[in-house]
């Protein structure tokens, strides 16, 4: 029987959810207009006043917010409450520019914990479970996000953080971890490491994994489930909106339920900014309608996805979003062909190849080149050059068939592609070096 953390909201009628969202949107628009100079300026420039927002469709009158806006107002320019009311601060890694700094009031943290608790319950978790948190702690939202949800539900929380893989496996065995939270690439690495250490994961108490913070395919899900002997669930979040818990998978695993009492999701055409119908791919846009310290409206995530309002068999009525199908800014254009790293990964896993790979894009003169470096695994390892060349050519043809472009494939020895205990680095694009010269 399906369980819910907040059944009255998670199974509410569409009319009730619309009513909740409308009331909270109107209140939030007033809050940001009165307390965030950038919002007031942008709304005034657009000729929009808080009183113009009367229904959900009116959200389209509001200007979009981008990551550049957050960098331009670094560090606290988008905060909507006095700093004395900010209980905690998180931040992005800042790998592509200035860090994005976000804040939370006590109430914001309670909402965040609730959203993550809903995910845990949707995977079958109860207060009897031991939640092993291998997401990074600190300014990154992953660790403390799932930590808060675990505590909210009353689980035993094991705050391991990332890194020290041998110690992670020992803790799983000795402490009896039943639920694992980590990035999917690190979960893969834990499964590999367990196999190398001779650990029979079928004998571990571990039963569920909650993975997010980076894109991953259905093929990767199946690989993780096999290596760790668990059921793997997707959780979606982003630093700017909340952290993990914006959306979560249920037992049906047919999309992630958006916590609609706290967030409004839109799917737009990334070129025009106009909404697209359910089932149509587009850029995901989120609005926080209850967060008080750092409330973003119409934030363009650059993630690509689809949504559906069809009722889920689990009984939840929240709109469902797909796994991110790529990113507007991660899409590679090589010799006129658009492709995403997830497409490369899907081919590799379909062909029983290692999920440890790296895409290297380069340029010689005016011609782009693409190479996919792939680790050999136990099933296809060979030290015979003729065998390796044959496998490389076969994979090149598979990529040509699936992607419309034929990359150079280079099979490398196991454990030679750098592992990440955070987000995996899948693409090395060297072309910008020439563009900046």
């Amino acid at each position: 029987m399906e369980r819910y953390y907040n059944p009255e909201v998670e199974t509410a009628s569409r009319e009730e959810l619309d009513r909740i969202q409308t009331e909270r949107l109107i209140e939030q628009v007033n809050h940001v207009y009165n307390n965030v100079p950038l919002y007031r300026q942008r709304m005034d420039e657009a000729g929009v006043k808080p009183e113009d927002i009367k229904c959900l469709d009116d959200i389209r009158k509001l200007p979009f917010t981008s990551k550049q806006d957050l960098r331009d107002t670094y560090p606290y320019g988008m905060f909507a409450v006095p700093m004395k009311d900010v209980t905690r601060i998180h931040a992005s890694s800042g790998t592509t520019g200035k860090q994005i700094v976000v804040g939370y009031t006590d109430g914001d943290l309670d909402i965040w914990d609730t959203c993550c608790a809903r995910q845990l319950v949707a995977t079958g978790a109860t207060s009897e479970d031991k939640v092993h948190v291998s997401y990074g702690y600190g300014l990154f939202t992953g660790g403390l996000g799932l930590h808060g949800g675990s505590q909210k539900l009353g689980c035993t929380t094991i705050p391991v953080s990332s890194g020290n893989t041998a110690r992670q496996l020992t803790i799983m065995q000795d402490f009896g971890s039943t639920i694992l939270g980590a990035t999917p690439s690190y979960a893969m690495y834990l499964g590999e490491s367990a196999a190398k250490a001779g650990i029979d994961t079928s004998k571990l108490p571990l039963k569920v994994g909650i993975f997010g913070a980076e894109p991953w395919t259905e093929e990767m899900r199946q690989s993780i489930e096999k290596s760790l002997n668990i059921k793997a669930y997707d959780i979606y979040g982003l630093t700017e909106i909340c952290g993990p818990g914006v959306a979560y998978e249920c037992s049906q695993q047919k999309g992630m339920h958006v916590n609609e009492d706290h967030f409004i999701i839109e799917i737009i055409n990334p070129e025009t900014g106009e909404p697209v119908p359910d089932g149509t791919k587009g850029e995901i846009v989120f609005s926080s309608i209850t967060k008080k310290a750092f409330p973003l409206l119409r934030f363009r995530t650059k993630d690509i996805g689809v949504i559906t309002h069809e009722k889920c068999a689990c009984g939840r009525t929240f709109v469902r979003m797909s796994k991110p199908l790529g990113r507007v800014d991660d899409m590679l254009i090589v010799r006129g062909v658009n492709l995403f790293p997830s497409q490369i990964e899907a081919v590799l896993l379909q062909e029983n190849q290692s999920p440890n790979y790296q895409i290297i894009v380069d340029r010689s003169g005016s011609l782009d080149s693409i190479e996919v470096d792939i680790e050999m695994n136990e099933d296809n390892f060979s030290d015979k050059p003729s065998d390796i060349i044959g496998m490389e050519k076969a994979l090149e043809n598979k990529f040509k068939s699936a992607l419309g472009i034929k990359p150079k494939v280079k099979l490398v020895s196991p454990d030679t592609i750098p592992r990440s205990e955070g987000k995996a680095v899948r693409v090395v694009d060297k072309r910008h070096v020439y563009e900046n010269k």
Side-chain angles (χ1 to χ4, degrees):
M1 181 178 177
E2 193 74 33
R3 295 173 56 249
Y4 314 100
Y5 186 73
N6 299 122
E8 69 288 349
V9 177
E10 293 178 76
T11 62
S13 67
R14 176 46 50 188
E15 292 74 20
E16 176 63 9
L17 288 173
D18 286 352
R19 183 193 67 77
I20 291 170
Q21 287 192 322
T22 301
E23 287 182 1
R24 292 179 174 181
L25 174 63
I26 291 170
E27 181 181 340
Q28 192 73 304
V29 170
N30 277 276
H31 179 55
V32 301
Y33 187 84
N34 293 325
N35 294 290
V36 182
L38 181 66
Y39 275 116
R40 184 161 55 251
Q41 175 191 335
R42 292 278 177 82
M43 288 176 64
D44 287 347
E45 289 172 352
V48 182
K49 297 294 183 185
E51 53 266 27
D52 296 328
I53 308 303
K54 299 173 182 176
C55 65
L56 281 181
D57 284 345
D58 287 339
I59 196 171
R60 297 172 191 168
K61 298 177 181 178
L62 298 171
F64 290 111
T65 310
S66 71
K67 186 165 285 190
Q68 190 58 48
D69 293 327
L70 310 187
R71 292 188 180 122
D72 290 344
T73 54
Y74 172 90
Y76 303 134
M78 296 293 283
F79 282 28
V81 299
M83 288 304 295
K84 66 180 179 63
D85 296 331
V86 175
T87 303
R88 196 159 84 212
I89 285 174
H90 281 279
S92 67
S93 61
T95 54
T96 57
K98 280 187 177 179
Q99 286 184 295
I100 303 305
V101 180
V102 301
Y104 302 77
T105 64
D106 281 342
D108 295 339
L109 291 174
D110 187 60
I111 288 168
W112 189 12
D113 292 348
T114 295
C115 289
C116 289
R118 289 175 183 173
Q119 163 74 99
L120 283 161
V121 171
T123 70
T126 71
S127 58
E128 301 294 319
D129 279 294
K130 298 181 180 71
V131 180
H132 181 115
V133 184
S134 290
Y135 287 109
Y137 279 68
L139 290 175
F140 174 58
T141 55
L144 285 167
L146 195 59
H147 180 115
S150 173
Q151 287 193 326
K152 185 86 170 177
L153 184 57
C155 303
T156 301
T157 307
I158 309 174
V160 189
S161 194
S162 58
N164 201 335
T165 302
R167 178 169 170 265
Q168 299 261 0
L169 294 171
T170 298
I171 289 172
M172 283 183 192
Q173 292 173 295
D174 295 350
F175 291 16
S177 310
T178 59
I179 296 175
L180 169 66
T183 60
S185 56
Y186 190 55
M188 285 289 298
Y189 186 45
L190 284 168
E192 288 177 7
S193 300
K196 289 178 181 177
I199 297 170
D200 183 352
T201 54
S202 69
K203 295 181 179 177
L204 294 178
L206 203 64
K207 59 184 181 181
V208 163
I210 298 175
F211 307 127
E214 62 187 18
W216 54 307
T217 60
E218 286 302 312
E219 291 83 3
M220 192 169 181
R221 187 207 296 270
Q222 293 165 16
S223 184
I224 291 171
E225 289 183 338
K226 182 179 178 181
S227 68
L228 289 175
N229 197 47
I230 59 172
K231 189 79 170 170
Y233 291 85
D234 208 346
I235 189 168
Y236 178 86
L238 56 168
T239 301
E240 297 86 351
I241 296 300
C242 172
V246 174
Y248 62 94
E249 273 191 325
C250 65
S251 59
Q252 299 298 307
Q253 295 185 307
K254 294 180 178 177
M256 290 177 282
H257 294 277
V258 177
N259 282 305
E260 288 192 272
D261 50 335
H262 301 296
F263 312 104
I264 295 174
I265 186 172
E266 302 172 76
I267 304 292
I268 64 166
N269 181 318
E271 301 293 331
T272 66
E274 293 299 311
V276 300
D278 275 21
T280 303
K281 285 196 296 187
E283 182 180 354
I284 300 170
V285 174
F286 270 110
S287 296
S288 301
I289 53 175
T290 54
K291 194 175 179 185
K292 295 306 177 188
F294 190 80
L296 291 189
L297 294 178
R298 304 203 81 195
F299 179 72
R300 297 186 64 157
T301 67
K302 295 193 175 181
D303 284 333
I304 295 169
V306 299
I307 59 172
T308 178
H309 283 82
E310 290 182 6
K311 187 174 179 179
C312 183
C314 75
R316 290 175 179 82
T317 50
F318 288 161
V319 62
R320 282 173 288 156
M321 61 175 279
S322 66
K323 283 176 174 289
L325 305 173
R327 284 181 58 80
V328 173
D329 54 356
D330 277 357
M331 183 176 72
L332 294 168
I333 303 177
V334 182
R335 300 200 290 272
V337 176
N338 298 347
L339 61 93
F340 294 96
S342 58
Q343 294 173 286
I344 300 279
E345 184 174 293
V347 172
L348 293 179
L349 290 167
Q350 285 167 4
E351 296 300 315
N352 198 30
Q353 296 292 326
S354 168
N356 296 309
Y357 68 94
Q358 198 160 61
I359 304 163
I360 300 166
V361 186
D362 208 339
R363 178 172 296 156
S364 177
S366 60
L367 184 64
D368 289 342
S369 64
I370 178 170
E371 176 179 302
V372 184
D373 293 354
I374 309 158
E375 285 187 3
M376 289 182 282
N377 57 27
E378 290 181 3
D379 294 332
N380 60 28
F381 180 80
S382 174
D383 56 4
K384 293 182 179 179
S386 58
D387 290 346
I388 293 173
I389 291 171
M391 288 188 287
E392 288 172 341
K393 296 301 180 187
L395 282 169
E396 288 173 356
N397 290 328
K398 292 287 184 181
F399 284 128
K400 172 68 174 176
S401 176
L403 308 176
I405 190 171
K406 190 173 183 178
K408 175 179 172 56
V409 170
K410 182 180 176 182
L411 291 174
V412 300
S413 298
D415 301 321
T416 53
I417 292 176
R419 300 298 196 271
S420 172
E421 291 165 352
K423 296 185 181 183
V425 179
R426 296 299 193 196
V427 180
V428 178
D429 193 339
K430 298 179 178 181
R431 293 175 296 181
H432 71 280
V433 173
Y434 310 112
E435 292 164 0
N436 294 334
K437 280 187 175 180

